[in-house]
Amino acid sequence: MSNFTSRFKSLPAGVAAAVYVGALVVIAIGAQFSGVDPTIISNDALLPPSTSHFLGSDELGRDVLVGIIFGIQISLSVGFCAAIAATSLGIFIGGIAGYYGGALDLIVMRVTEVFQVVPSFILAAVIVALSGPGLTRIIAVIALLAWPQAARVMRGEVMRVKQLEFVEAVRCLGYKEGYILLREVIPNAVSPTMAIGTLIVGQAILLEAALSFFGLSNPDLVSWGRMLNSGQRFLFNAWWLSFFPGTAILITVLAFNLLGDSISRALNPKGVK
Amino acid sequence: MVETVIGKPVLELCKVSKSFHRRGFPPVTAAREVDLHVCEAETVALVGESGSGKSTLAKIALGLVRPDAGEVKLFGKTISGLPMGQLREVRTAMQPVFQDSSAAFNPRRTVTQLLSQAAIRHPSPIGTMRERLIILLEQVGLRPGEDYLGRFPHELSGGQRQRLSIARALAMDPPIIIADEPLSGADVSIRGQLLNLMIDLREKRKVAYLFITHDISIAKAFAHRVAVMYKGSIVERGNADEVLANPQHEYTKRLVEGSLTVEQAEKAVEAISHKMESGVAAS
């Protein structure tokens, strides 16, 4: 593990991304205790960026910067919850498929392929449109769409670990297969799936923003996608309403992708140059 | 081919066959009607070059691979074909020691966890777990035992890890240890120590060994009986001294000719060092 830390530290993009994500978390928590209400409206409607509104204000006089800061919470919680759900599901399903193999494995892999060829955004939009908006629903939909990636990586790694000699040694001690899978194989096989999980956070943030942009989210919540949705009507006379939330999404998704890449490179001792 | 029978057979393989099929490739026969038995406190060396099916036979004996045909018997009872639950109970009488000691331990567990994982399966009324583990470690020459308890396998040398493998096997107090090339991963200087340890355990604890090796000189030094395996079949068997002094099968002859005896090896080393010394003197 200390090797992992030192290899990770040698990847500047990964360190920068980790610092950025850490800062986001701190800001999001800080915003909750600031006592500021991001939904409060004022007469300063559609003002361009200035000293009183650093990133301008929207058509109801709400500050864009405050909106972006409060939007972090939605983006991150959707991202993290969806990624945790998808990764856990993927570890469980991929672990069992890879360990027991046979017909079960065949079926699971075909199912993951079906998910991979389905256009995920359209499927998500249809599910949310039919079942109605709501944060938990969006998280569930994203997790449902993202678990196959985690499952495939997990399956491959479990297949590698299960044929190592220590697994056979433990089997010769008379332990049950379930114990061996849970206690011996999975702990040694989860790392690459964790890297995939970080990438899923980025995808989930993007998908949530896209769904909100199309108005498929709770209009009372302050989220980046929601800000883009209301900003599009003023694209030509108030560019700041679309530009700043869009940039926030871009940088955050990029950060999670870099973080995921750096984690998987740091996990591979041959990967860092 | 006269064999001396020392005691009751612990492990018997009766006409065991196994072949591997892969699409697009001709089937590979790893074992063809192999008969082999190991008696109490006896050491049988299974000798052959890589690819001759020795390791597959070891896995069949341990119940890790199911044979296509034939039976594996433990203390006279057939264990091949037992349902998983029963096999799990009986197989603990056989413990493996593998070639690659770096893959033989879960890298996330400490020595304490690794050994107690075994010891807990074979309860003993004497002493606390910690005391038991220290005794186990010291039995295999890892002294003082306390110093090793908190370490991870990657913090040990190859030789120490192989000793730990043996300690884990001993925690189960097995009547038989199935060792698959246990010395090949170790340094030449370590090999002798490990071999001495295994001989020591044979005498003190009456452990039987199925000892798999490609090195005929180790077989000669350690085994009571040898079985020579070639392309999945046992081509020659008998008491170690007889077979190796007077090999009958062509393949055994080649194996014996290919290896050096200890005296020959010592002579060769002497000759080389002599040459080097005279070379230094001349220049």
Side-chain angles (χ1 to χ4, degrees):
Chain A
M1 213 56 198
S2 61
N3 279 338
F4 170 79
T5 323
S6 65
R7 277 199 297 270
F8 187 83
K9 278 182 186 157
S10 72
L11 296 163
V15 174
V19 170
Y20 174 77
V21 170
L24 279 189
V25 172
V26 171
I27 293 170
I29 293 169
Q32 291 308 303
F33 295 102
S34 64
V36 177
D37 182 0
T39 56
I40 219 146
I41 53 178
S42 70
N43 291 328
D44 304 345
L46 291 176
L47 291 181
S50 65
T51 45
S52 58
H53 296 285
F54 283 115
L55 303 181
S57 66
D58 70 1
E59 74 276 14
L60 297 174
R62 293 174 295 198
D63 190 90
V64 173
L65 179 62
V66 172
I68 287 177
I69 287 173
F70 278 83
I72 296 172
Q73 197 205 352
I74 301 292
S75 287
L76 285 193
S77 48
V78 169
F80 284 134
C81 293
I84 289 168
T87 313
S88 319
L89 209 58
I91 287 173
F92 179 70
I93 296 173
I96 289 178
Y99 190 72
Y100 292 102
L104 182 75
D105 181 38
L106 206 69
I107 293 166
V108 170
M109 283 305 106
R110 295 298 86 79
V111 171
T112 63
E113 276 160 15
V114 168
F115 273 97
Q116 285 184 323
V117 294
V118 168
S120 56
F121 175 72
I122 294 174
L123 187 61
V126 169
I127 295 174
V128 174
L130 290 179
S131 63
L135 221 47
T136 27
R137 261 192 216 107
I138 288 182
I139 290 171
V141 166
I142 295 173
L144 190 70
L145 292 170
W147 71 264
Q149 307 168 40
R152 291 185 77 94
V153 172
M154 188 63 194
R155 166 186 178 261
E157 194 62 8
V158 163
M159 289 173 84
R160 182 185 73 79
V161 173
K162 76 169 178 183
Q163 46 86 36
L164 293 176
E165 283 175 343
F166 74 80
V167 175
E168 293 187 330
V170 174
R171 190 169 287 139
C172 289
L173 298 176
Y175 283 96
K176 292 181 180 167
E177 294 301 306
Y179 170 95
I180 296 173
L181 174 60
L182 277 177
R183 304 292 301 277
E184 303 290 321
V185 176
I186 287 182
N188 286 292
V190 286
S191 318
T193 313
M194 292 301 176
I196 291 289
T198 317
L199 295 176
I200 293 176
V201 177
Q203 294 173 17
I205 291 173
L206 204 56
L207 198 55
E208 187 276 331
L211 289 171
S212 306
F213 177 72
F214 284 100
L216 293 166
S217 74
N218 187 343
D220 299 330
L221 288 175
V222 185
S223 86
W224 294 345
R226 177 88 214 135
M227 292 169 80
L228 283 180
N229 170 272
S230 53
Q232 60 165 323
R233 282 174 286 152
F234 306 97
L235 195 58
F236 295 105
N237 36 14
W239 57 270
W240 54 91
L241 292 185
S242 307
F243 180 77
F244 293 115
T247 310
I249 294 169
L250 173 77
I251 296 174
T252 307
V253 174
L254 184 67
F256 278 105
N257 282 355
L258 289 175
L259 192 60
D261 274 351
S262 305
I263 290 174
S264 61
R265 283 178 65 190
L267 285 172
N268 178 2
K270 293 169 206 143
V272 180
K273 291 224 175 79
Chain B
M1 285 201 265
V2 186
E3 294 181 67
T4 331
V5 177
I6 300 177
K8 275 195 304 181
V10 178
L11 175 72
E12 289 167 278
L13 301 178
C14 310
K15 296 214 178 304
V16 164
S17 299
K18 177 78 192 176
S19 47
F20 293 102
H21 301 266
R22 239 182 0 155
R23 228 181 296 168
F25 292 89
V28 180
T29 307
R32 192 179 286 119
E33 300 203 338
V34 173
D35 282 308
L36 191 69
H37 68 274
V38 183
C39 295
E40 281 174 338
E42 184 196 29
T43 301
V44 175
L46 189 60
V47 188
E49 59 195 4
S50 48
S52 59
K54 298 168 293 174
S55 293
T56 305
L57 210 58
K59 290 194 174 173
I60 290 173
L62 286 164
L64 295 169
V65 169
R66 290 198 185 251
D68 297 338
E71 287 184 335
V72 181
K73 289 181 186 171
L74 193 63
F75 294 111
K77 273 198 260 176
T78 305
I79 63 160
S80 48
L82 276 185
M84 206 54 204
Q86 289 176 40
L87 177 62
R88 201 158 50 225
E89 296 304 317
V90 295
R91 67 156 40 133
T92 55
M94 302 175 283
Q95 287 300 311
V97 174
F98 294 111
Q99 174 178 0
D100 182 6
S101 65
S102 60
F105 298 101
N106 185 338
R108 290 168 186 276
R109 293 184 190 272
T110 61
V111 169
T112 303
Q113 291 170 324
L114 288 165
L115 283 183
S116 54
Q117 195 178 28
I120 223 163
R121 303 290 300 174
H122 192 86
S124 152
I126 314 149
T128 63
M129 181 58 91
R130 191 184 147 85
E131 285 162 3
R132 253 184 96 189
L133 301 189
I134 291 170
I135 292 169
L136 278 171
L137 286 168
E138 299 200 337
Q139 250 173 358
V140 297
L142 296 173
R143 288 191 196 90
E146 290 93 343
D147 291 2
Y148 292 90
L149 289 176
R151 295 213 207 163
F152 284 94
H154 65 261
E155 295 171 334
L156 303 176
S157 70
Q160 288 171 333
R161 270 202 301 267
Q162 205 55 290
R163 285 169 188 271
L164 188 62
S165 292
I166 297 172
R168 174 168 61 188
L170 288 180
M172 304 296 285
D173 204 8
I176 180 166
I177 289 179
I178 296 177
D180 187 0
E181 303 266 10
L183 307 180
S184 314
D187 249 302
V188 179
S189 58
I190 307 294
R191 276 185 205 175
Q193 297 174 14
L194 285 171
L195 202 56
N196 283 336
L197 170 65
M198 294 175 80
I199 292 172
D200 196 38
L201 294 171
R202 181 170 70 192
E203 277 153 18
K204 280 189 192 146
R205 300 183 64 145
K206 303 282 174 243
V207 189
Y209 288 100
L210 176 59
F211 192 90
I212 293 163
T213 180
H214 63 267
D215 188 337
I216 208 144
S217 58
I218 290 177
K220 202 171 177 179
F222 184 47
H224 300 116
R225 287 190 297 126
V226 288
V228 181
M229 200 163 181
Y230 178 60
K231 289 191 174 166
S233 301
I234 288 182
V235 293
E236 187 160 0
R237 67 176 81 220
N239 291 335
D241 305 335
E242 288 165 27
V243 170
L244 301 176
N246 187 18
Q248 298 297 310
H249 192 271
E250 271 309 305
Y251 178 68
T252 322
K253 282 181 190 168
R254 273 203 289 133
L255 275 181
V256 173
E257 279 165 15
S259 76
L260 298 173
T261 62
V262 177
E263 299 90 67
Q264 281 172 327
E266 276 171 2
K267 263 184 201 162
V269 170
E270 234 169 72
I272 292 166
S273 55
H274 191 70
K275 246 187 207 167
M276 283 173 72
E277 271 168 30
S278 59
V280 170
S283 64

